[in-house]
Amino acid sequence: MPPLGRVDDAPPAFRRAVESLRAPAVRAEIAVEDIPAPKRLAPHAVAMSATVRSEDEDAAFGRLIVLYDPEGTRDWPTPFRVVVWVSADLETEIAADPLLGQVAWSWLTEALEGRGAPHRGLSGTVTRATTEGFADKADQPVTTELELRASWSPDAEELSADMEVWLDLLSAAAGLPPVDVADITQRRGRAEG
């Protein structure tokens, strides 16, 4: 993973937080890169983007932003705020499920709990958008995209668990199996062939 941005002139707490984002292992299917952080949301910020590839296609995209306001001038429960965004295309049957928003939100809450990421002030939205082509684009298939946006204030400057939450959320949105589960469909195909 590339460096997470220039932080040498930031307070030590923010530097330690940024360093902790490098600790988690990143799955081979996920490519994470440093991107410019927003400059007006907080005195200190770092940002990353990610692309998830599955079956030789882009399956999901995401961004993670860590904001830090040591003076407490923002309306956050702690000096830090983690902001995540994840987007993925969905199959038509899944997109039509009325519980889709609740299921997608549960990916986040279960990841926060499973990774033991202590936090306060969790908020967010889940959006599904359907795109239909007309006129010269009438032959294009209907697509549906899921978008989850969320933010929370971590209770500590150690953010490796928060990074893992974002990686878990990307994996779930892309439909990747858990890391510790073998994909037997690939083996079955070879055995039958």
Side-chain angles (χ1 to χ4, degrees):
M1 187 179 339
L4 295 173
R6 185 168 175 219
V7 296
D8 54 344
D9 58 347
F14 184 69
R15 290 197 311 261
R16 287 189 296 270
V18 169
E19 187 62 32
S20 72
L21 293 171
R22 295 185 180 127
V26 178
R27 294 175 70 143
E29 301 94 336
I30 302 176
V32 176
E33 64 182 347
D34 191 21
I35 60 173
K39 297 186 185 307
R40 297 183 181 179
L41 298 178
H44 305 281
V46 67
M48 295 175 247
S49 70
T51 302
V52 183
R53 302 246 338 140
S54 178
E55 299 177 10
D56 294 326
E57 292 185 8
D58 291 344
F61 304 93
R63 289 200 174 86
L64 177 130
I65 302 169
V66 175
L67 306 170
Y68 180 61
D69 179 9
E71 303 301 318
T73 59
R74 306 317 191 260
D75 190 23
W76 305 331
T78 72
F80 286 97
R81 192 78 182 163
V82 173
V83 180
V84 297
W85 168 80
V86 171
S87 175
D89 288 332
L90 299 174
E91 296 174 13
T92 307
E93 313 81 58
I94 296 171
D97 187 334
L99 298 177
L100 176 64
Q102 294 171 25
V103 169
W105 189 254
S106 75
W107 296 337
L108 174 62
T109 57
E110 289 172 9
L112 283 164
E113 183 179 325
R115 293 296 185 174
H119 63 282
R120 292 186 260 163
L122 176 64
S123 65
T125 61
V126 176
T127 305
R128 86 181 92 191
T130 302
T131 303
E132 298 178 67
F134 295 95
D136 288 346
K137 295 190 174 218
D139 60 340
Q140 292 184 351
V142 174
T143 60
T144 304
E145 179 182 31
L146 169 84
E147 200 171 272
L148 186 147
R149 296 174 185 267
S151 66
W152 61 89
S153 292
D155 281 341
E157 64 191 48
E158 165 55 55
L159 302 181
S160 60
D162 301 272
M163 176 71 168
E164 290 173 324
V165 167
W166 180 54
L167 296 170
D168 289 350
L169 183 57
L170 284 161
S171 298
L176 298 179
V179 175
D180 56 352
V181 174
D183 184 357
I184 62 170
T185 60
Q186 299 300 321
R187 291 184 196 158
R188 186 178 300 145
R190 285 192 298 249
E192 292 171 357

